[in-house]
Amino acid sequence: MTVTAPPAGPSGQVEPEAAPAPRGRRLLRFLPAVVAVLSGALLYVSFPPRPLWFLALPAFAAFAWVLRERSWKPAFGLGYLFGLGFLVPLLKWTGVEVGPLPWLALAAIEAVFVGLVGVGVAAVSRLPGAPLWSAALWTAGEAARARAPFSGFPWGKIAFGQADGIFLPLAAVGGTPVLGFAVVLCGFGLYDVVRLVRERRLARVVTRPAAAVALLSVAVPVVGAVAARSLVSDKAEDGTVTVAAIQGNVPRLGLEFNAQRRAVLEYHARETERLAAEVKAGKTAKPDFVLWPENSSDVDPFTDPTAAAVIEQAVEAIGAPVSVGGVVQRDGKLFNEQILWDPAKGPTQTYDKRQIQPFGEYMPLQGLVKAINPNWTAMASNFTRGTKPGVFTIGGTKVGIATCYEAAFDWDVRDTVTHGAQLISVPSNNATFDRSEMTYQQLAMSRVRAVEHSRTVVVPVTSGVSAIIMPDGRITQKTGMFVADSLVQKVPLRSSETPATRMGILPEMLLVLVAAGGLGWAIGSGLRARRTGDA
């Protein structure tokens, strides 16, 4: 048996073996990863249906801590973990009927964008004014997610978690990009304030400019939000209308309801007729027009006389135009369509949904899917995109239409207003997603849109939650889930445009340029430092 002696030191004496690192110290190496996941989960908790919007601030403060002065590889990993901690629970509703694989795949893909943002945030964390550059980079990441892949997926924009928060009026200033930027800036600024206070206590030098930037990063978003309240108003500029939203409910939960589409149509007709009876009895005000949800008639009323007769009977009973959500086949193509049905003239105006959902309303990469699975055939519900903005003129009132998924896209809602909409309807169908948080997340989007464009927003949903939202984002009426119900209310009409409506994409593009400037500065500083070190 051979015994190996410990190595000798410089003096010739045998050096003692190095003691292994304490277990606690080894575990500390995993602390940043744990904090990244937990802070992402904290950000999720700040989203509806919980009114805990303020938790977004410590979530981003912790995110800033784990990324500060990291190299690009760990920064990407930590950013990716933050993204998973946020998006995996937020998007759980996408797997309600199709299982966990699509849900987890979607979250994993979307988290890549957050990982890339993490690389940028780590790079600019060394710069003066780091909170500003970092918040702009987050906005740039959201802008990318809203456009790619497959026309984008804006779900989870920070603005959509702020419907109950003090920052909401900023939506009227510059839309969801400015609102989200302000929240993230405040969170990153909060970390910088804590960091500088700690350095001061450790007797390290804290410059006045650094302290000023940290304090302003927290104060400016709050002051700006308070000042922006003057842009939020419920005052009627063009009179008022009485609007009704119908929630007919569905025969049973889940995807199976599509097989019972005729029953869904009859449910909505029945609820409309019930409302008509209340109007006739003097219990409810007669609406000027009625809004049905998306997919309230999956039976094409242009080709099915029975479906048309059911709609006509309901429309005649209420005695007012009804916007019906239909699935329509025309020229060999399938459209998700809103049809304005007049009690005297029948169908008069239509709007075809433009922002259709990938893997839900159409299948991307069909050639690749076919190559992988030769037995695969195109989906029966492979919808075609519409091409024109949705604005119905109903008795002199212009009603903008943003169907369900479209409410998540800035441009889709905005151009209804720039085309004259005085009120916005967001007809939706959430029945597929059971009692998940999806309907509450989407309702929060509509509340943000109401403030962003200073318009009343009506949300008729097949199975709930349907709601009427004032231009200041307040919900004045709402239904429960999976019940038949109707909402009737006199609401203000408005035609003035907020700064957000007028500027459109400009604030987002400016913030993207700020992000690019900060990233360029960080890269340039790194290259100069490397050259100096090599010299």
Side-chain angles (χ1 to χ4, degrees):
M1 176 175 160
T2 304
V3 178
T4 303
S11 61
Q13 296 180 343
V14 175
E15 295 274 341
E17 292 188 14
R23 184 178 180 185
R25 188 176 301 172
R26 293 200 303 271
L27 291 176
L28 281 177
R29 291 182 297 180
F30 297 100
L31 181 61
V34 173
V35 172
V37 173
L38 293 179
S39 56
L42 187 64
L43 181 59
Y44 155 70
V45 174
S46 75
F47 271 65
R50 296 159 295 275
L52 304 177
W53 57 270
F54 50 87
L55 293 181
L57 303 183
F60 277 105
F63 190 43
W65 175 76
V66 300
L67 290 174
R68 182 168 174 78
E69 297 187 357
R70 299 278 181 183
S71 60
W72 76 268
K73 287 183 179 179
F76 177 82
L78 292 168
Y80 190 76
L81 290 173
F82 178 85
L84 289 178
F86 171 46
L87 293 168
V88 167
L90 185 80
L91 302 178
K92 185 179 178 182
W93 55 268
T94 61
V96 167
E97 289 296 334
V98 295
L101 185 59
W103 154 43
L104 295 174
L106 175 62
I109 292 169
E110 294 297 311
V112 171
F113 289 91
V114 184
L116 293 174
V117 169
V119 174
V121 170
V124 301
S125 66
R126 301 175 176 86
L127 300 179
L132 172 67
W133 312 118
S134 299
L137 280 161
W138 183 274
T139 304
E142 288 191 339
R145 281 208 305 124
R147 291 165 173 82
F150 312 124
S151 299
F153 187 72
W155 220 276
K157 292 182 79 170
I158 299 306
F160 297 149
Q162 296 296 310
D164 289 304
I166 62 170
F167 297 101
L168 180 60
L170 289 169
V173 175
T176 61
V178 167
L179 172 53
F181 170 78
V183 175
V184 179
L185 176 62
C186 198
F188 281 128
L190 182 63
Y191 164 70
D192 248 23
V193 169
V194 173
R195 179 179 65 82
L196 293 177
V197 167
R198 182 174 180 275
E199 291 192 0
R200 180 83 176 186
R201 287 180 176 177
L202 293 174
R204 296 172 183 166
V205 175
V206 175
T207 65
R208 288 185 178 180
V213 168
L215 291 172
L216 287 173
S217 297
V218 175
V220 169
V222 176
V223 173
V226 173
R229 289 180 182 176
S230 62
L231 298 173
V232 180
S233 174
D234 288 345
K235 182 179 179 181
E237 297 174 330
D238 305 310
T240 60
V241 293
T242 300
V243 60
I246 299 295
Q247 178 174 301
N249 203 7
V250 297
R252 61 175 184 248
L253 310 186
L255 288 173
E256 293 83 3
F257 89 93
N258 285 314
Q260 302 177 59
R261 55 191 184 275
R262 191 173 298 276
V264 175
L265 170 58
E266 291 171 352
Y267 282 17
H268 284 82
R270 183 188 307 165
E271 182 61 26
T272 304
E273 291 166 5
R274 187 195 65 79
L275 175 61
E278 288 194 352
V279 171
K280 187 176 181 179
K283 297 179 181 179
T284 304
K286 181 179 179 179
D288 294 301
F289 53 87
V290 180
L291 303 172
W292 283 13
E294 177 189 34
N295 297 127
S296 47
S297 178
D298 275 353
V299 183
D300 186 348
F302 295 112
T303 59
D304 190 309
T306 303
V310 170
I311 296 171
E312 285 173 359
Q313 182 176 325
V315 173
E316 289 173 5
I318 197 66
V322 178
S323 179
V324 178
V327 173
V328 174
Q329 191 166 11
R330 187 169 56 250
D331 300 326
K333 298 177 181 178
L334 207 59
F335 295 91
N336 186 334
E337 189 166 87
Q338 285 289 312
I339 308 161
L340 185 63
W341 210 289
D342 186 86
K345 302 176 183 178
T348 57
Q349 302 171 56
T350 61
Y351 165 65
D352 298 322
K353 186 176 181 181
R354 294 173 294 167
Q355 194 68 45
I356 55 178
Q357 184 180 351
F359 304 102
E361 292 175 304
Y362 80 100
M363 180 65 75
L365 307 175
Q366 293 188 20
L368 178 61
V369 174
K370 186 72 173 178
I372 296 172
N373 181 10
N375 296 321
W376 180 84
T377 56
M379 294 164 45
S381 56
N382 217 3
F383 287 88
T384 299
R385 297 177 185 274
T387 57
K388 297 180 181 179
V391 180
F392 287 164
T393 301
I394 312 177
T397 299
K398 290 189 176 294
V399 179
I401 310 292
T403 304
C404 196
Y405 185 57
E406 294 182 318
F409 293 83
D410 296 346
W411 64 269
D412 209 315
V413 181
R414 175 181 177 264
D415 71 359
T416 69
V417 180
T418 58
H419 282 79
Q422 300 162 295
L423 175 149
I424 299 171
S425 172
V426 183
S428 302
N429 175 20
N430 298 336
T432 302
F433 304 111
D434 202 351
R435 295 181 180 273
S436 69
E437 295 181 356
M438 183 269 189
T439 188
Y440 299 102
Q441 293 172 9
Q442 191 175 60
L443 187 60
M445 294 178 192
S446 295
R447 294 179 64 190
V448 173
R449 299 304 183 195
V451 175
E452 181 179 11
H453 300 293
S454 195
R455 296 292 187 274
T456 299
V457 177
V458 182
V459 186
V461 184
T462 50
S463 56
V465 174
S466 299
I468 296 177
I469 305 167
M470 292 291 99
D472 65 354
R474 287 180 301 119
I475 297 176
T476 53
Q477 290 192 61
K478 65 179 180 179
T479 69
M481 293 185 71
F482 293 101
V483 295
D485 205 351
S486 59
L487 307 174
V488 181
Q489 186 172 323
K490 181 182 288 187
V491 297
L493 297 177
R494 294 178 59 83
S495 56
S496 62
E497 293 186 350
T498 64
T501 306
R502 289 194 295 270
M503 290 190 291
I505 198 175
L506 182 61
E508 183 179 56
M509 292 298 98
L510 289 176
L511 289 171
V512 169
L513 288 174
V514 170
L519 197 56
W521 184 8
I523 293 171
S525 297
L527 291 175
R528 286 193 296 273
R530 184 175 300 177
R531 284 197 297 268
T532 302
D534 291 342

